Amino acid sequence: DTEVTQTPKHLVMGMTNKKSLKCEQHMGHRAMYWYKQKAKKPPELMFVYSYEKLSINESVPSRFSPECPNSSLLNLHLHALQPEDSALYLCASSLSRTGDSGAHFGPGTRLLVL
Amino acid sequence: QKEVEQDPGPLSVPEGAIVSLNCTYSNSAFQYFMWYRQYSRKGPELLMYTYSSGNKEDGRFTAQVDKSSKYISLFIRDSQPSDSATYLCAAEYSSASKIIFGSGTRLSIRP
């Protein structure tokens, strides 16, 4: 299994809603990432979890809250978002037991904040 | 100056041509270099992953890294219309660290 799966595929939420994005990988990777991508721009790093511990937080606003329940799962909890947070949210994983071979991305969740 | 620079294109070539995509980077501490392909409204797909300088070949794709000139290249042989996508070069300092992306090059292969 070489896939990273993300749910939901699309999400529309109001500025007062609370929602969560979910990511799962079964490649035995020990690092997982959240990236944000705006149209016609490259992905921008938000968070990195390494061995289930938060290792990098790119000064992301607190309305985004990551969670890594176990080595296969990664969540991103959303609360009180702004319209400018509308974007494609990408999950990725890397760092297998045999060494690193690059980060594999999921298909993304397309988020629209109204 | 961006850490990884990439010409955004667009680049249009006829089917069957050899495509050359290039990036430069500024930080000599980068150790790992990647090329991703991204179709419209999809997540990036890892094409090539290389450590330090050298060449790596996978089917029609060849990646080159020249650390002395801080230059990253991707060559696509026998290009197909299905290769039409945005290609992103990327670099990182170490495993499980921040991946720095270039701005992406939009490639179109004309039938």
Side-chain angles (χ1 to χ4, degrees):
Chain A
D1 187 352
T2 58
E3 269 196 327
V4 176
T5 59
Q6 290 187 244
T7 55
K9 287 187 170 56
H10 300 92
L11 180 61
V12 180
M13 59 187 291
M15 289 190 284
T16 58
N17 292 157
K18 284 186 181 180
K19 296 286 185 183
S20 296
L21 309 185
K22 297 186 182 303
C23 174
E24 190 167 6
Q25 57 91 11
H26 293 289
M27 294 178 278
H29 287 168
R30 305 317 302 261
M32 296 187 76
Y33 312 71
W34 281 114
Y35 277 82
K36 173 182 176 180
Q37 187 176 27
K38 294 281 226 178
K40 300 191 189 305
K41 297 289 187 183
E44 295 178 356
L45 181 66
M46 300 175 73
F47 304 103
V48 181
Y49 274 83
S50 181
Y51 294 90
E52 301 167 47
K53 292 194 185 319
L54 183 65
S55 57
I56 299 178
N57 177 342
E58 286 286 292
S59 301
V60 178
S62 60
R63 58 185 184 268
F64 295 91
S65 175
E67 178 195 18
C68 189
N70 59 54
S71 61
S72 300
L73 293 174
L74 187 66
N75 299 321
L76 186 63
H77 303 296
L78 313 173
H79 173 55
L81 294 193
Q82 305 296 309
E84 59 265 29
D85 296 322
S86 299
L88 181 67
Y89 287 84
L90 295 161
C91 174
S93 70
S94 73
L95 198 58
S96 70
R97 292 184 187 86
T98 57
D100 204 0
S101 58
H104 296 258
F105 282 80
T109 293
R110 192 160 297 278
L111 174 66
L112 177 62
V113 182
L114 300 176
Chain B
Q1 182 189 10
K2 290 182 182 178
E3 290 190 271
V4 179
E5 298 268 9
Q6 183 175 9
D7 186 339
L11 179 63
S12 180
V13 301
E15 182 176 356
I18 296 175
V19 176
S20 173
L21 302 170
N22 305 293
C23 292
T24 59
Y25 63 94
S26 57
N27 195 327
S28 57
F30 285 134
Q31 295 191 71
Y32 301 91
F33 304 91
M34 292 79 78
W35 282 96
Y36 287 88
R37 177 174 63 192
Q38 187 170 25
Y39 293 111
S40 181
R41 306 181 74 80
K42 303 286 187 185
E45 174 192 1
L46 180 64
L47 288 176
M48 303 292 278
Y49 180 76
T50 53
Y51 171 69
S52 195
S53 282
N55 294 358
K56 186 173 184 179
E57 188 173 324
D58 184 1
R60 296 185 295 112
F61 298 91
T62 299
Q64 286 185 353
V65 176
D66 183 343
K67 292 196 80 178
S68 62
S69 59
K70 299 191 180 69
Y71 206 76
I72 315 166
S73 300
L74 179 71
F75 299 95
I76 308 174
R77 291 182 298 281
D78 187 25
S79 55
Q80 305 293 311
S82 58
D83 295 328
S84 299
T86 295
Y87 288 79
L88 296 149
C89 62
E92 61 180 346
Y93 300 105
S94 62
S95 297
S97 67
K98 181 177 180 178
I99 300 171
I100 312 293
F101 285 91
S103 56
T105 299
R106 281 198 300 132
L107 173 67
S108 176
I109 309 296
R110 305 189 302 270

